Amino acid sequence: MHTLLVMGAGFALLGLCLLVGWRKGAMAHAALAFLPLWLLGAGINLAVGVLAAGYSVAEELPIFAVIFAVPATLAGFLWSRLQRT
């Protein structure tokens, strides 16, 4: 459940980035700007899992990969579509 909540936060951050990009007329750039922000957010989630929850890095890395990859894949898809327009 926690994984879905964190991915939901990633989608919300992507939406916020796209909204800012829409207001500035640069939605494709906003989709790319989301990627390092989300990498940082997913990394913080990994650190909390290791430091506070007591999981090992080996246990957290696959979860980190999924949490980062799903919203990042959508951002990459949107970037490729918005780049054409």
Side-chain angles (χ1 to χ4, degrees):
M1 183 69 179
H2 176 77
T3 301
L4 294 176
L5 290 173
V6 174
M7 281 194 300
F11 291 127
L13 179 62
L14 177 58
L16 181 64
C17 287
L18 291 173
L19 179 65
V20 169
W22 175 69
R23 299 225 10 151
K24 295 191 176 272
M27 286 182 68
H29 292 297
L32 284 182
F34 161 78
L35 293 174
L37 294 173
W38 186 233
L39 182 63
L40 178 66
I44 290 171
N45 182 65
L46 178 130
V48 168
V50 170
L51 298 174
Y55 294 108
S56 70
V57 174
E59 290 173 317
E60 279 291 316
L61 275 177
I63 304 303
F64 166 79
V66 170
I67 284 175
F68 177 74
V70 173
T73 301
L74 178 60
F77 173 75
L78 291 173
W79 172 79
S80 70
R81 299 296 270 188
L82 292 168
Q83 197 70 357
R84 296 179 193 164
T85 59

Coordinates of all heavy atoms in Angstrom, one line a residue:
M1 N 0.8 -1.2 0.0 CA 0.0 0.0 0.0 C 0.9 1.3 0.0 O 0.6 2.2 -0.7 CB -0.9 -0.1 1.2 CG -1.9 1.1 1.3 SD -3.1 0.9 0.0 CE -4.1 2.3 0.3
H2 N 1.9 1.2 0.8 CA 2.8 2.4 0.9 C 3.4 2.7 -0.5 O 3.6 3.8 -0.9 CB 3.9 2.1 1.9 CG 5.0 3.2 2.0 ND1 4.7 4.4 2.6 CD2 6.2 3.3 1.4 CE1 5.8 5.2 2.5 NE2 6.7 4.5 1.8
T3 N 3.8 1.6 -1.2 CA 4.4 1.8 -2.6 C 3.4 2.6 -3.5 O 3.8 3.5 -4.2 CB 4.7 0.4 -3.2 OG1 5.7 -0.2 -2.3 CG2 5.4 0.6 -4.5
L4 N 2.1 2.2 -3.4 CA 1.1 2.9 -4.3 C 1.0 4.3 -3.9 O 0.8 5.2 -4.7 CB -0.2 2.1 -4.2 CG -0.2 0.7 -4.8 CD1 -1.6 0.1 -4.6 CD2 0.1 0.8 -6.3
L5 N 1.0 4.6 -2.6 CA 0.9 6.0 -2.1 C 2.1 6.8 -2.6 O 1.9 8.0 -3.0 CB 0.8 6.0 -0.6 CG -0.5 5.5 0.0 CD1 -0.4 5.4 1.6 CD2 -1.7 6.3 -0.4
V6 N 3.3 6.2 -2.5 CA 4.5 7.0 -2.9 C 4.4 7.2 -4.5 O 4.7 8.3 -4.9 CB 5.7 6.3 -2.5 CG1 7.0 7.0 -3.1 CG2 5.8 6.2 -1.0
M7 N 4.0 6.2 -5.2 CA 3.8 6.4 -6.7 C 2.8 7.5 -7.0 O 2.9 8.3 -7.9 CB 3.5 5.1 -7.4 CG 4.8 4.3 -7.6 SD 4.6 2.9 -8.7 CE 3.3 2.0 -8.0
G8 N 1.7 7.5 -6.2 CA 0.7 8.5 -6.3 C 1.3 9.9 -6.1 O 0.9 10.8 -6.8
A9 N 2.2 10.0 -5.1 CA 2.8 11.3 -4.9 C 3.7 11.6 -6.1 O 3.8 12.8 -6.5 CB 3.7 11.2 -3.6
G10 N 4.3 10.7 -6.7 CA 5.0 10.9 -8.0 C 4.2 11.4 -9.1 O 4.5 12.4 -9.8
F11 N 3.0 10.8 -9.2 CA 2.1 11.3 -10.3 C 1.6 12.7 -10.0 O 1.4 13.5 -10.9 CB 0.9 10.3 -10.4 CG 1.3 9.0 -11.0 CD1 1.0 7.8 -10.4 CD2 2.0 8.9 -12.2 CE1 1.3 6.6 -10.9 CE2 2.3 7.7 -12.8 CZ 2.0 6.6 -12.1
A12 N 1.4 13.0 -8.7 CA 0.9 14.3 -8.3 C 2.0 15.3 -8.6 O 1.8 16.4 -9.1 CB 0.6 14.4 -6.8
L13 N 3.3 15.0 -8.3 CA 4.4 15.9 -8.6 C 4.5 16.1 -10.1 O 4.8 17.2 -10.6 CB 5.7 15.3 -8.0 CG 7.0 16.1 -8.3 CD1 6.9 17.5 -7.7 CD2 8.2 15.4 -7.8
L14 N 4.3 15.0 -10.9 CA 4.4 15.2 -12.3 C 3.3 16.1 -12.8 O 3.5 17.0 -13.6 CB 4.2 13.8 -13.0 CG 4.1 13.8 -14.5 CD1 5.4 14.4 -15.2 CD2 3.9 12.4 -15.0
G15 N 2.1 16.0 -12.2 CA 1.0 16.9 -12.6 C 1.3 18.3 -12.2 O 1.0 19.2 -13.0
L16 N 1.9 18.5 -11.1 CA 2.3 19.9 -10.7 C 3.3 20.5 -11.6 O 3.2 21.6 -12.0 CB 2.8 19.9 -9.2 CG 3.2 21.2 -8.7 CD1 2.0 22.1 -8.5 CD2 3.9 21.0 -7.3
C17 N 4.3 19.6 -12.0 CA 5.3 20.1 -13.0 C 4.7 20.5 -14.3 O 5.0 21.5 -14.9 CB 6.4 19.0 -13.2 SG 7.5 18.8 -11.8
L18 N 3.8 19.6 -14.8 CA 3.1 19.9 -16.0 C 2.3 21.1 -16.0 O 2.2 21.9 -16.9 CB 2.3 18.7 -16.5 CG 3.1 17.5 -16.9 CD1 2.2 16.3 -17.1 CD2 3.9 17.8 -18.1
L19 N 1.6 21.4 -14.8 CA 0.8 22.6 -14.6 C 1.7 23.8 -14.7 O 1.4 24.8 -15.4 CB 0.1 22.5 -13.3 CG -0.8 23.7 -13.0 CD1 -1.9 23.9 -14.0 CD2 -1.3 23.6 -11.6
V20 N 2.8 23.8 -14.0 CA 3.8 24.9 -14.1 C 4.3 25.1 -15.5 O 4.4 26.2 -16.1 CB 4.9 24.7 -13.1 CG1 6.0 25.7 -13.3 CG2 4.4 24.8 -11.7
G21 N 4.6 24.0 -16.2 CA 5.1 24.0 -17.6 C 4.0 24.6 -18.5 O 4.3 25.3 -19.5
W22 N 2.8 24.2 -18.3 CA 1.7 24.7 -19.1 C 1.5 26.2 -19.0 O 1.3 26.9 -19.9 CB 0.4 24.0 -18.7 CG -0.9 24.5 -19.4 CD1 -1.2 24.4 -20.7 CD2 -1.9 25.3 -18.8 NE1 -2.4 25.0 -21.0 CE2 -2.8 25.5 -19.8 CE3 -2.2 25.7 -17.5 CZ2 -4.0 26.2 -19.6 CZ3 -3.3 26.4 -17.3 CH2 -4.2 26.7 -18.3
R23 N 1.6 26.7 -17.7 CA 1.5 28.1 -17.5 C 2.7 28.9 -18.1 O 2.5 30.1 -18.5 CB 1.5 28.4 -16.0 CG 0.3 27.7 -15.4 CD -0.5 28.5 -14.4 NE -0.3 29.8 -14.3 CZ -1.2 30.7 -14.0 NH1 -2.4 30.3 -13.7 NH2 -1.0 32.0 -13.8
K24 N 3.8 28.3 -18.2 CA 5.0 28.9 -18.8 C 5.2 28.6 -20.3 O 6.1 29.1 -20.9 CB 6.3 28.6 -18.0 CG 6.2 29.1 -16.6 CD 7.6 28.9 -16.0 CE 7.6 29.5 -14.6 NZ 7.9 30.9 -14.6
G25 N 4.3 27.8 -20.8 CA 4.4 27.4 -22.2 C 5.5 26.4 -22.6 O 6.1 26.4 -23.7
A26 N 5.9 25.6 -21.6 CA 7.0 24.7 -21.8 C 6.7 23.3 -21.1 O 7.4 22.9 -20.3 CB 8.3 25.3 -21.2
M27 N 5.7 22.7 -21.6 CA 5.2 21.4 -20.9 C 6.2 20.3 -21.2 O 6.4 19.5 -20.3 CB 3.9 21.0 -21.4 CG 2.8 21.9 -20.8 SD 1.1 21.4 -21.3 CE 1.0 19.9 -20.5
A28 N 6.9 20.3 -22.3 CA 7.8 19.2 -22.6 C 9.0 19.4 -21.6 O 9.5 18.4 -21.1 CB 8.3 19.2 -24.0
H29 N 9.5 20.6 -21.4 CA 10.6 20.8 -20.5 C 10.2 20.5 -19.1 O 11.0 20.0 -18.3 CB 11.1 22.2 -20.6 CG 11.7 22.6 -21.9 ND1 12.9 21.9 -22.3 CD2 11.4 23.4 -22.9 CE1 13.2 22.4 -23.5 NE2 12.3 23.3 -23.8
A30 N 8.9 20.7 -18.7 CA 8.4 20.4 -17.4 C 8.5 18.9 -17.2 O 8.8 18.5 -16.0 CB 7.0 21.0 -17.2
A31 N 8.1 18.1 -18.2 CA 8.2 16.7 -18.0 C 9.6 16.2 -17.8 O 9.8 15.3 -17.0 CB 7.6 16.0 -19.3
L32 N 10.5 16.8 -18.4 CA 11.9 16.4 -18.2 C 12.4 17.0 -16.8 O 13.2 16.3 -16.1 CB 12.8 17.0 -19.3 CG 12.8 16.3 -20.6 CD1 13.8 16.9 -21.6 CD2 13.1 14.8 -20.4
A33 N 12.0 18.1 -16.4 CA 12.4 18.7 -15.1 C 11.8 17.8 -14.0 O 12.4 17.8 -12.9 CB 11.8 20.1 -15.0
F34 N 10.8 17.1 -14.2 CA 10.2 16.2 -13.2 C 11.2 15.1 -12.8 O 11.2 14.7 -11.7 CB 8.9 15.6 -13.7 CG 8.5 14.4 -13.0 CD1 7.8 14.4 -11.8 CD2 8.7 13.1 -13.5 CE1 7.5 13.3 -11.1 CE2 8.3 12.0 -12.9 CZ 7.7 12.0 -11.7
L35 N 11.9 14.6 -13.8 CA 12.8 13.4 -13.5 C 13.8 13.6 -12.4 O 13.8 12.7 -11.5 CB 13.5 13.0 -14.8 CG 12.5 12.5 -15.9 CD1 13.2 12.2 -17.2 CD2 11.8 11.2 -15.5
P36 N 14.6 14.6 -12.4 CA 15.5 14.7 -11.2 C 14.8 15.0 -9.9 O 15.2 14.5 -8.8 CB 16.5 15.9 -11.6 CG 15.8 16.6 -12.6 CD 14.9 15.7 -13.3
L37 N 13.7 15.7 -10.0 CA 12.9 15.9 -8.7 C 12.4 14.6 -8.2 O 12.4 14.3 -7.0 CB 11.8 16.9 -9.0 CG 12.1 18.3 -9.4 CD1 10.9 19.1 -9.8 CD2 12.8 19.0 -8.2
W38 N 11.9 13.7 -9.1 CA 11.3 12.5 -8.7 C 12.4 11.5 -8.2 O 12.2 10.7 -7.3 CB 10.4 11.9 -9.7 CG 9.8 10.6 -9.3 CD1 9.8 9.4 -9.8 CD2 9.0 10.5 -8.1 NE1 9.1 8.5 -9.1 CE2 8.6 9.1 -8.0 CE3 8.6 11.3 -7.1 CZ2 7.8 8.7 -7.0 CZ3 7.8 10.9 -6.0 CH2 7.4 9.5 -6.0
L39 N 13.6 11.6 -8.9 CA 14.7 10.7 -8.4 C 15.1 11.1 -7.0 O 15.3 10.2 -6.2 CB 15.9 10.9 -9.4 CG 17.1 10.1 -9.1 CD1 16.8 8.6 -9.2 CD2 18.3 10.5 -10.0
L40 N 15.1 12.3 -6.7 CA 15.3 12.8 -5.3 C 14.3 12.3 -4.4 O 14.5 11.8 -3.3 CB 15.5 14.3 -5.2 CG 15.7 14.9 -3.9 CD1 17.1 14.5 -3.4 CD2 15.6 16.4 -4.0
G41 N 13.0 12.4 -4.8 CA 11.9 12.0 -3.9 C 11.9 10.5 -3.7 O 11.7 10.0 -2.5
A42 N 12.2 9.7 -4.7 CA 12.2 8.2 -4.6 C 13.5 7.9 -3.8 O 13.4 6.9 -3.0 CB 12.3 7.6 -6.0
G43 N 14.5 8.6 -3.9 CA 15.7 8.3 -3.1 C 15.5 8.6 -1.6 O 16.0 7.9 -0.7
I44 N 14.7 9.7 -1.3 CA 14.4 9.9 0.1 C 13.5 8.8 0.6 O 13.7 8.4 1.8 CB 13.7 11.3 0.2 CG1 14.6 12.4 -0.1 CG2 13.0 11.5 1.5 CD1 14.0 13.8 -0.2
N45 N 12.6 8.3 -0.2 CA 11.8 7.2 0.3 C 12.7 5.9 0.5 O 12.5 5.2 1.5 CB 10.7 6.8 -0.8 CG 9.9 5.7 -0.3 OD1 9.1 5.8 0.6 ND2 10.0 4.6 -1.0
L46 N 13.7 5.7 -0.3 CA 14.6 4.6 -0.1 C 15.4 4.8 1.2 O 15.5 3.9 2.0 CB 15.6 4.5 -1.2 CG 16.7 3.4 -1.1 CD1 16.7 2.6 -2.4 CD2 18.0 4.0 -0.9
A47 N 15.8 6.0 1.5 CA 16.6 6.3 2.7 C 15.7 6.1 3.9 O 16.2 5.6 4.9 CB 17.1 7.7 2.6
V48 N 14.5 6.5 3.9 CA 13.6 6.3 5.0 C 13.4 4.9 5.3 O 13.4 4.4 6.4 CB 12.3 7.1 4.8 CG1 11.2 6.7 5.8 CG2 12.5 8.6 4.8
G49 N 13.2 4.1 4.2 CA 13.0 2.7 4.3 C 14.2 2.0 5.0 O 14.1 1.1 5.8
V50 N 15.4 2.4 4.6 CA 16.6 1.8 5.2 C 16.9 2.3 6.6 O 17.2 1.6 7.5 CB 17.8 2.1 4.2 CG1 19.1 1.7 4.9 CG2 17.7 1.4 2.9
L51 N 16.8 3.6 6.8 CA 17.3 4.2 8.0 C 16.2 4.1 9.1 O 16.5 3.8 10.3 CB 17.7 5.7 7.9 CG 18.9 5.9 6.9 CD1 19.1 7.4 6.7 CD2 20.1 5.2 7.5
A52 N 14.9 4.4 8.8 CA 13.9 4.4 9.8 C 13.1 3.1 9.9 O 12.8 2.6 11.0 CB 12.9 5.5 9.5
A53 N 12.8 2.4 8.8 CA 12.0 1.2 8.8 C 12.9 0.0 9.1 O 12.4 -1.1 9.4 CB 11.2 1.1 7.6
G54 N 14.2 0.1 8.8 CA 15.1 -1.0 9.1 C 15.3 -2.0 8.0 O 15.8 -3.1 8.2
Y55 N 14.8 -1.7 6.8 CA 15.1 -2.6 5.7 C 16.5 -2.5 5.2 O 17.1 -1.4 5.4 CB 14.1 -2.3 4.5 CG 12.7 -2.6 4.8 CD1 11.8 -1.5 5.1 CD2 12.2 -3.9 4.9 CE1 10.4 -1.8 5.3 CE2 10.9 -4.1 5.2 CZ 10.0 -3.1 5.4 OH 8.7 -3.3 5.7
S56 N 17.0 -3.5 4.6 CA 18.3 -3.4 4.0 C 18.3 -2.7 2.6 O 17.2 -2.6 2.0 CB 19.0 -4.8 3.8 OG 18.3 -5.5 2.8
V57 N 19.4 -2.2 2.2 CA 19.4 -1.6 0.8 C 19.0 -2.6 -0.2 O 18.3 -2.2 -1.2 CB 20.8 -1.0 0.6 CG1 20.9 -0.4 -0.9 CG2 21.1 0.1 1.6
A58 N 19.4 -3.8 -0.1 CA 19.1 -4.8 -1.1 C 17.6 -5.1 -1.1 O 17.0 -5.4 -2.2 CB 19.8 -6.1 -0.8
E59 N 16.9 -5.0 0.0 CA 15.4 -5.1 0.0 C 14.8 -3.9 -0.6 O 13.7 -4.0 -1.2 CB 15.0 -5.3 1.5 CG 15.3 -6.6 2.1 CD 15.0 -6.7 3.6 OE1 15.2 -5.7 4.3 OE2 14.5 -7.7 4.0
E60 N 15.3 -2.7 -0.4 CA 14.7 -1.5 -0.8 C 14.9 -1.2 -2.3 O 14.1 -0.5 -2.9 CB 15.1 -0.3 0.0 CG 14.4 -0.2 1.4 CD 13.0 0.2 1.2 OE1 12.7 1.1 0.4 OE2 12.1 -0.4 1.9
L61 N 16.0 -1.6 -2.9 CA 16.4 -1.3 -4.2 C 15.3 -1.7 -5.3 O 15.0 -0.8 -6.1 CB 17.8 -1.8 -4.6 CG 18.9 -0.9 -4.2 CD1 20.2 -1.6 -4.6 CD2 18.8 0.5 -4.9
P62 N 14.8 -2.9 -5.2 CA 13.7 -3.2 -6.2 C 12.5 -2.3 -6.1 O 11.9 -1.9 -7.1 CB 13.4 -4.6 -5.9 CG 14.5 -5.2 -5.2 CD 15.1 -4.0 -4.4
I63 N 12.1 -2.0 -4.8 CA 11.0 -1.1 -4.6 C 11.3 0.3 -5.1 O 10.5 0.9 -5.7 CB 10.6 -1.1 -3.1 CG1 10.4 -2.5 -2.5 CG2 9.5 -0.1 -2.8 CD1 9.3 -3.2 -3.2
F64 N 12.5 0.8 -4.9 CA 12.9 2.1 -5.4 C 12.8 2.1 -6.9 O 12.4 3.1 -7.5 CB 14.4 2.4 -4.9 CG 15.0 3.5 -5.7 CD1 14.8 4.8 -5.3 CD2 15.9 3.2 -6.7 CE1 15.4 5.8 -6.0 CE2 16.5 4.3 -7.4 CZ 16.2 5.6 -7.1
A65 N 13.3 1.0 -7.5 CA 13.2 1.0 -9.0 C 11.8 1.1 -9.5 O 11.5 1.8 -10.5 CB 13.9 -0.3 -9.5
V66 N 10.9 0.4 -8.9 CA 9.5 0.5 -9.3 C 8.9 1.8 -9.0 O 8.2 2.4 -9.9 CB 8.6 -0.6 -8.6 CG1 7.2 -0.4 -8.9 CG2 9.1 -2.0 -9.1
I67 N 9.2 2.3 -7.8 CA 8.6 3.6 -7.5 C 9.1 4.7 -8.4 O 8.4 5.6 -8.8 CB 9.0 4.0 -6.0 CG1 8.1 3.1 -5.1 CG2 8.8 5.4 -5.7 CD1 8.4 3.2 -3.6
F68 N 10.4 4.7 -8.8 CA 10.9 5.7 -9.7 C 10.4 5.4 -11.1 O 10.1 6.4 -11.8 CB 12.4 5.7 -9.6 CG 13.0 6.7 -10.6 CD1 12.9 8.1 -10.4 CD2 13.6 6.3 -11.8 CE1 13.4 9.0 -11.3 CE2 14.1 7.2 -12.7 CZ 14.0 8.5 -12.5
A69 N 10.5 4.2 -11.6 CA 10.3 3.9 -13.0 C 8.9 4.2 -13.5 O 8.7 4.6 -14.6 CB 10.7 2.5 -13.3
V70 N 7.9 3.9 -12.7 CA 6.5 4.0 -13.2 C 6.1 5.5 -13.5 O 5.8 5.8 -14.7 CB 5.5 3.4 -12.2 CG1 4.1 3.6 -12.6 CG2 5.7 1.9 -12.1
P71 N 6.3 6.4 -12.6 CA 6.0 7.8 -13.0 C 7.0 8.4 -14.0 O 6.7 9.2 -14.9 CB 6.1 8.6 -11.6 CG 5.9 7.6 -10.6 CD 6.5 6.3 -11.1
A72 N 8.3 7.9 -13.9 CA 9.3 8.4 -14.9 C 9.0 7.9 -16.3 O 9.2 8.7 -17.3 CB 10.7 7.9 -14.5
T73 N 8.4 6.7 -16.4 CA 8.0 6.2 -17.7 C 6.9 7.1 -18.3 O 6.9 7.4 -19.5 CB 7.6 4.7 -17.7 OG1 8.7 4.0 -17.1 CG2 7.2 4.2 -19.0
L74 N 5.9 7.4 -17.5 CA 4.9 8.3 -18.0 C 5.4 9.6 -18.4 O 5.0 10.2 -19.4 CB 3.8 8.4 -16.9 CG 2.6 9.4 -17.2 CD1 1.9 8.9 -18.5 CD2 1.7 9.5 -16.1
A75 N 6.3 10.2 -17.6 CA 6.9 11.5 -17.9 C 7.7 11.4 -19.2 O 7.6 12.3 -20.0 CB 7.9 11.9 -16.8
G76 N 8.4 10.3 -19.4 CA 9.1 10.2 -20.7 C 8.2 10.1 -21.9 O 8.4 10.6 -23.0
F77 N 7.1 9.3 -21.7 CA 6.1 9.2 -22.8 C 5.5 10.6 -23.1 O 5.3 11.0 -24.2 CB 5.0 8.2 -22.4 CG 3.8 8.2 -23.3 CD1 3.9 7.5 -24.5 CD2 2.6 8.8 -23.0 CE1 2.9 7.5 -25.4 CE2 1.6 8.8 -23.8 CZ 1.7 8.1 -25.1
L78 N 5.1 11.3 -22.0 CA 4.5 12.6 -22.2 C 5.5 13.6 -22.9 O 5.1 14.4 -23.7 CB 4.0 13.2 -20.9 CG 2.8 12.5 -20.3 CD1 2.5 13.1 -18.9 CD2 1.6 12.7 -21.2
W79 N 6.8 13.5 -22.5 CA 7.8 14.3 -23.1 C 7.9 14.1 -24.6 O 7.9 15.0 -25.4 CB 9.1 14.1 -22.4 CG 10.2 14.8 -23.1 CD1 10.6 16.1 -23.1 CD2 11.2 14.2 -24.1 NE1 11.6 16.4 -23.9 CE2 12.0 15.2 -24.5 CE3 11.3 12.9 -24.6 CZ2 13.0 15.0 -25.5 CZ3 12.3 12.7 -25.5 CH2 13.2 13.7 -25.9
S80 N 7.9 12.8 -25.0 CA 8.0 12.4 -26.4 C 6.8 12.9 -27.2 O 6.9 13.4 -28.3 CB 8.2 10.9 -26.6 OG 7.0 10.2 -26.3
R81 N 5.6 12.9 -26.6 CA 4.4 13.3 -27.2 C 4.3 14.9 -27.3 O 3.9 15.4 -28.3 CB 3.1 12.8 -26.5 CG 3.0 11.3 -26.5 CD 2.9 10.8 -27.9 NE 1.5 10.7 -28.2 CZ 1.0 10.1 -29.2 NH1 1.8 9.5 -30.1 NH2 -0.3 10.1 -29.5
L82 N 4.7 15.5 -26.2 CA 4.7 17.0 -26.2 C 5.8 17.6 -27.1 O 5.6 18.7 -27.5 CB 4.8 17.5 -24.8 CG 3.6 17.1 -23.8 CD1 4.0 17.4 -22.4 CD2 2.4 17.9 -24.3
Q83 N 6.8 16.9 -27.3 CA 7.9 17.3 -28.1 C 7.5 17.5 -29.5 O 8.0 18.4 -30.3 CB 9.1 16.3 -28.0 CG 10.4 16.8 -28.5 CD 11.0 17.9 -27.5 OE1 10.5 18.3 -26.5 NE2 12.2 18.3 -27.9
R84 N 6.6 16.7 -30.0 CA 6.1 16.7 -31.4 C 5.1 17.9 -31.6 O 4.9 18.3 -32.8 CB 5.4 15.4 -31.7 CG 6.3 14.2 -31.6 CD 5.5 13.0 -31.9 NE 6.3 11.8 -31.6 CZ 5.8 10.6 -31.5 NH1 4.6 10.4 -31.6 NH2 6.6 9.6 -31.1
T85 N 4.5 18.4 -30.6 CA 3.5 19.4 -30.8 C 4.1 20.8 -30.7 O 5.1 21.0 -30.2 CB 2.3 19.3 -29.8 OG1 2.9 19.4 -28.5 CG2 1.6 18.0 -30.0

